[in-house]
Amino acid sequence: MATTAARPKIDIDEADILVLSRGLEKSSKLTQGINQSLGKIVETTSQSTRLFTPIISRNNELTTLQRNIESALNSVASVKDLATEAAKYENMLAKGIGEVGIKNYTRLIHKLDDMTEGISINNKQNAEFNGILVHLTELIKNSETNLRLYFVAILNTIKPFDPQMNMNKKIPFPYYEDQQLSELSAILDYFYNNSKVEAIQESLITERSDTILKSMAFLEPFAKKTTASKNAPYEKGSSGMTSYTEALLGFIANEKSLMDDICSQYMTFKEPTLEAIVKPLLKTYARLVDYNVESIVGNMNNIGIFSFELVESVQTVIKSLRFSSNLQNMDALMQSFLKVEQITQSLFKDAMQRVVDKVNKLSALPNDNGVTESTVDTMSRLRKFSEYNNGCVNAIANMKREDWMVASFSAKDSTFTESFLTNCSDNERPVRLLSTFINDCIDTLCLLLEKRSEKILKHSVSSEIASPVLGHSSSKDGFASTKHKQRIGYFILMNMSLIEQIVEKSTLNSLLGLEGHARIQKLQKRYLDYMVADWKDLTAILMDAVFIDSTGKKSKDKEQIKEKFRKFNEGFEALQTKTKQYRLSDPALKKRLKSEIVSLIIPMYERFYGRYKDSFKNPRKHIKYTPSELTSAIDQVTR
């Protein structure tokens, strides 16, 4: 049998290490191989990246280009759509406002404006829309210009004209038709609501002001003319300022109506626009007022009275501007008003001074003891004043009585009462001041005529037929001495007769009022008392004490009664002769004088006659008149 070779013995641990070492060696070789493979892969990848990067980049560019092309195509389509729509609106706008109509025209502009706004917001960065945006903006601008031109064209349908022609024919000034007002209003609405109102406002102000100023220019040469010649007295209403003022008032009313018709809902636009239109008119008016004031100052004697008409005109214009405090208080207008008011106020004092001067020139009483030139002049001037009653009231409103009084009289002589001016409202005071002024002139005239006539008569050799019967006691009331009272009374009453006639037949009658007429009656009573002063003395004969004892009348008492009747008869006849010299032309004055004499004489005579008519065997020898016969005789005296 064969023998098995002997094998060496192997340690298990060593065997494990050996196995592990061999495994690690294989792993190392494998790892190395992997690393080499990965290196090759990295290298290959790096090469691929270098190769594909341009391709990818180009591909991305192509993708972007594709998107841009698509976007551009969409933009082109959008631009084409907008351009088509804009062209449609543009074609419609090109037809003009007259064919399209204001409302449609403004609606088309609004649509274009909306398109412009949409492009600006959504496509601000797109150059493709710049062209159409510029075009739309220009189209809107041109369309708005056309609106303004159309607006101006409507305004200019009213051309400058001569207002005097319309006023002579009493026809209204030209005004816009309802359709025109509607279009003007619609255009204003468009610009106002689009915050573009300044341009249209300027057009409105310029066109209306120019048209009115050119129209008023027709009247301006006449407004600078007051009288035909420098020395000619002014005739009421002859100045062209009256017509100029009337025309100005008409235009102001028209412009106010125009603003109400086209922009009443826009107060912030309406008020300043109306003021801006009217202001140039008022400046021109103020310059004309100043021109006329200078003319008046240079010729006060002849045309001073015109200032009343002028101040009334200016005041009327100021009142017409109540809708605007800015216009009412405009410096130029107010300064002109103050100038003319100052002149009119000076006329009141001048008129009073003229009364004094005219009376002082009186050197002799008229032969018929009638009306003096000073009375005619005073009443003529007062009547002229009354023709301008509104102007007088406006001018005198801020005056005091002391401003015109140049002569002073005692409270007993003057007919004025202070309460007339103090016990009244502010509205009543100007009218009462004017009434007071008129009465003060009449008072001053009569009282100064009395003083002047007394002075003249004192230097007269034989001024009056003296009564051989009646004695005169000295009188302390009034100015006239008892010697001249009847003649002076007659003289003043004759002048007052003219005064009353002029008052009754003129506006003075209403201006005086109840108080004014009462003052004239009071003044008339003063001089009626002068006329009957001698008659009053005659009654004193009948008032002497009568002595009667218990047994009846003694002979010497009868003699006294006879003497009284004799004196009365002689005195009455003397007064008959004296009074008949004065022929009163005023029936009312005659009647009143008769009433005054009768009321003085007849009651006293009836009493005396009734008591002593049976005292004589032959009454007619001593008693010349019965009461009824005496009344008839008095009636003959005052016939």
Side-chain angles (χ1 to χ4, degrees):
M1 121 182 227
T3 306
T4 305
R7 296 182 180 179
K9 292 183 180 180
I10 299 174
D11 186 37
I12 294 174
D13 292 332
E14 290 178 354
D16 289 337
I17 291 171
L18 181 61
V19 172
L20 181 58
S21 297
R22 289 177 180 176
L24 288 172
E25 184 179 350
K26 288 180 181 180
S27 295
S28 176
K29 290 180 181 180
L30 181 61
T31 299
Q32 184 177 3
I34 291 171
N35 287 335
Q36 290 175 351
S37 297
L38 288 173
K40 290 179 181 180
I41 291 171
V42 169
E43 184 179 354
T44 302
T45 299
S46 177
Q47 290 176 352
S48 298
T49 299
R50 286 195 301 270
L51 292 173
F52 278 100
T53 295
I55 296 172
I56 293 171
S57 177
R58 182 60 181 165
N59 186 59
N60 289 337
E61 289 178 0
L62 290 174
T63 302
T64 301
L65 180 59
Q66 181 182 4
R67 286 199 300 268
N68 288 341
I69 291 172
E70 291 174 354
S71 176
L73 290 174
N74 291 334
S75 296
V76 169
S78 298
V79 170
K80 182 179 180 182
D81 292 341
L82 288 172
T84 301
E85 187 177 5
K88 180 178 68 175
Y89 297 152
E90 184 175 5
N91 290 335
M92 295 178 67
L93 290 170
K95 294 180 180 179
I97 298 173
E99 183 176 344
V100 176
I102 291 291
K103 291 184 178 180
N104 287 332
Y105 197 88
T106 55
R107 190 181 298 116
L108 290 170
I109 299 176
H110 280 306
K111 289 183 177 180
L112 292 177
D113 194 53
D114 291 341
M115 290 173 62
T116 303
E117 184 178 359
I119 293 173
S120 298
I121 294 174
N122 299 320
N123 301 280
K124 193 171 184 180
Q125 305 300 324
N126 293 350
E128 292 84 355
F129 288 86
N130 286 340
I132 191 169
L133 185 61
V134 170
H135 181 71
L136 289 176
T137 302
E138 190 65 26
L139 182 58
I140 291 171
K141 182 179 179 180
N142 291 338
S143 300
E144 289 178 345
T145 299
N146 290 336
L147 272 180
R148 283 195 295 272
L149 293 174
Y150 192 81
F151 186 86
V152 170
I154 296 175
L155 294 177
N156 286 334
T157 56
I158 295 179
K159 303 294 183 184
F161 63 97
D162 185 351
Q164 192 64 55
M165 302 292 291
N166 293 67
M167 293 188 292
N168 289 344
K169 297 177 182 178
K170 296 183 178 180
I171 58 176
F173 290 170
Y175 196 65
Y176 299 101
E177 302 292 337
D178 290 344
Q179 177 63 29
Q180 292 174 318
L181 293 172
S182 177
E183 291 180 337
L184 290 172
S185 181
I187 294 173
L188 275 177
D189 287 344
Y190 171 82
F191 284 101
Y192 189 89
N193 292 321
N194 285 275
S195 301
K196 300 177 180 179
V197 76
E198 291 79 8
I200 205 72
Q201 184 181 35
E202 183 180 354
S203 298
L204 178 58
I205 293 170
T206 300
E207 296 303 324
R208 288 307 302 159
S209 291
D210 285 352
T211 298
I212 299 172
L213 287 172
K214 289 176 181 177
S215 298
M216 295 295 285
F218 285 99
L219 305 177
E220 190 165 331
F222 305 98
K224 293 181 177 180
K225 187 176 181 180
T226 51
T227 57
S229 63
K230 185 175 181 180
N231 296 324
Y234 179 73
E235 295 294 332
K236 184 179 181 181
S238 62
S239 169
M241 275 301 290
T242 303
S243 294
Y244 195 96
T245 300
E246 182 182 352
L248 178 63
L249 294 173
F251 279 118
I252 290 174
N254 263 18
E255 295 315 294
K256 190 173 181 299
S257 296
L258 179 60
M259 294 300 103
D260 288 338
D261 286 337
I262 67 176
C263 58
S264 59
Q265 69 274 35
Y266 305 130
M267 295 304 294
T268 55
F269 173 87
K270 172 186 169 182
E271 293 181 359
T273 303
L274 180 57
E275 289 177 0
I277 292 173
V278 175
K279 195 170 183 178
L281 314 182
L282 297 180
K283 286 183 177 179
T284 302
Y285 184 73
R287 286 196 296 270
L288 285 174
V289 172
D290 291 345
Y291 178 90
N292 280 274
V293 167
E294 291 178 5
S295 299
I296 293 170
V297 171
N299 192 9
M300 285 291 290
N301 288 336
N302 290 311
I303 64 174
I305 200 76
F306 167 53
S307 64
F308 286 126
E309 192 172 295
L310 188 59
V311 77
E312 182 179 349
S313 295
V314 179
Q315 187 66 30
T316 303
V317 170
I318 292 174
K319 288 180 179 178
S320 74
L321 301 171
R322 282 183 291 237
F323 60 87
S324 169
S325 60
N326 290 333
L327 294 178
Q328 266 196 323
N329 299 307
M330 196 176 82
D331 287 344
L333 187 62
M334 292 308 300
Q335 289 174 9
S336 297
F337 176 69
L338 291 175
K339 289 178 185 177
V340 68
E341 184 182 52
Q342 186 177 8
I343 292 177
T344 55
Q345 289 180 350
S346 71
L347 290 179
F348 292 102
K349 186 172 184 177
D350 291 347
M352 189 67 78
Q353 186 62 54
R354 188 181 177 95
V355 174
V356 175
D357 295 341
K358 287 287 184 181
V359 173
N360 287 339
K361 289 180 181 178
L362 185 67
S363 57
L365 269 61
N367 292 331
D368 59 354
N369 294 307
V371 178
T372 66
E373 191 271 335
S374 57
T375 301
V376 174
D377 182 81
T378 298
M379 294 312 298
S380 175
R381 189 156 290 267
L382 288 179
R383 183 172 56 188
K384 279 285 187 183
F385 273 47
S386 72
E387 292 175 1
Y388 303 88
N389 57 320
N390 289 334
C392 287
V393 169
N394 290 333
I396 207 170
N398 298 319
M399 295 182 69
K400 301 185 292 293
R401 184 169 179 260
E402 294 75 18
D403 293 336
W404 64 71
M405 290 299 293
V406 296
S408 60
F409 305 101
S410 67
K412 180 176 63 176
D413 295 322
S414 175
T415 62
F416 172 71
T417 53
E418 188 67 36
S419 61
F420 180 61
L421 293 180
T422 55
N423 298 337
C424 63
S425 66
D426 291 341
N427 290 334
E428 292 176 315
R429 183 174 171 79
V431 176
R432 291 197 176 193
L433 277 169
L434 183 57
S435 172
T436 299
F437 165 75
I438 296 168
N439 278 121
D440 284 344
C441 285
I442 296 172
D443 268 12
T444 301
L445 173 68
C446 292
L447 293 174
L448 290 183
L449 280 176
E450 179 183 346
K451 277 187 174 182
R452 190 68 180 170
S453 60
E454 172 69 14
K455 185 176 181 180
I456 291 171
L457 291 173
K458 278 183 178 179
H459 292 84
S460 176
V461 177
S462 57
S463 61
E464 174 178 337
I465 301 175
S467 171
V469 178
L470 300 176
H472 300 277
S473 58
S474 62
S475 175
K476 293 183 180 180
D477 61 338
F479 310 119
S481 68
T482 54
K483 182 178 180 181
H484 302 131
K485 266 195 171 183
Q486 188 175 33
R487 184 173 180 183
I488 291 174
Y490 172 76
F491 167 61
I492 304 297
L493 286 173
M494 287 294 288
N495 283 268
M496 287 199 69
S497 178
L498 176 67
I499 290 171
E500 288 190 294
Q501 289 176 33
I502 293 176
V503 166
E504 184 179 350
K505 294 178 181 179
S506 68
T507 315
L508 291 168
N509 193 36
S510 59
L511 291 179
L512 284 173
L514 294 176
E515 177 71 16
H517 285 286
R519 285 183 65 178
I520 291 179
Q521 292 300 311
K522 185 177 178 181
L523 198 61
Q524 190 179 69
K525 179 66 168 60
R526 174 189 177 92
Y527 296 108
L528 276 170
D529 287 346
Y530 282 18
M531 281 287 288
V532 300
D534 288 343
W535 294 93
K536 189 180 292 184
D537 289 341
L538 183 63
T539 62
I541 296 172
L542 304 176
M543 293 176 64
D544 284 348
V546 177
F547 300 98
I548 306 174
D549 60 17
S550 58
T551 61
K553 301 175 180 65
K554 296 180 180 180
S555 58
K556 70 173 183 177
D557 294 327
K558 287 184 180 181
E559 290 301 319
Q560 289 178 351
I561 294 169
K562 289 178 185 178
E563 183 65 15
K564 291 179 184 297
F565 274 113
R566 185 186 66 78
K567 283 185 176 181
F568 179 84
N569 294 337
E570 290 179 356
F572 181 78
E573 289 169 356
L575 285 176
Q576 275 185 308
T577 303
K578 185 177 180 180
T579 305
K580 282 182 179 179
Q581 296 178 72
Y582 310 118
R583 298 186 179 278
L584 297 174
S585 57
D586 185 350
L589 188 56
K590 287 182 183 179
K591 184 177 180 180
R592 187 168 178 184
L593 178 60
K594 174 186 175 182
S595 176
E596 290 284 337
I597 295 173
V598 167
S599 64
L600 277 172
I601 301 297
I602 298 303
M604 294 294 294
Y605 188 79
E606 284 180 337
R607 178 178 175 276
F608 194 82
Y609 176 83
R611 180 173 291 181
Y612 299 111
K613 66 180 179 178
D614 298 327
S615 299
F616 312 107
K617 291 181 180 180
N618 187 5
R620 279 294 180 179
K621 184 178 179 181
H622 306 288
I623 304 173
K624 190 171 183 179
Y625 303 100
T626 65
S628 60
E629 289 171 341
L630 187 63
T631 302
S632 297
I634 293 172
D635 183 57
Q636 292 299 318
V637 171
T638 56
R639 185 176 296 277

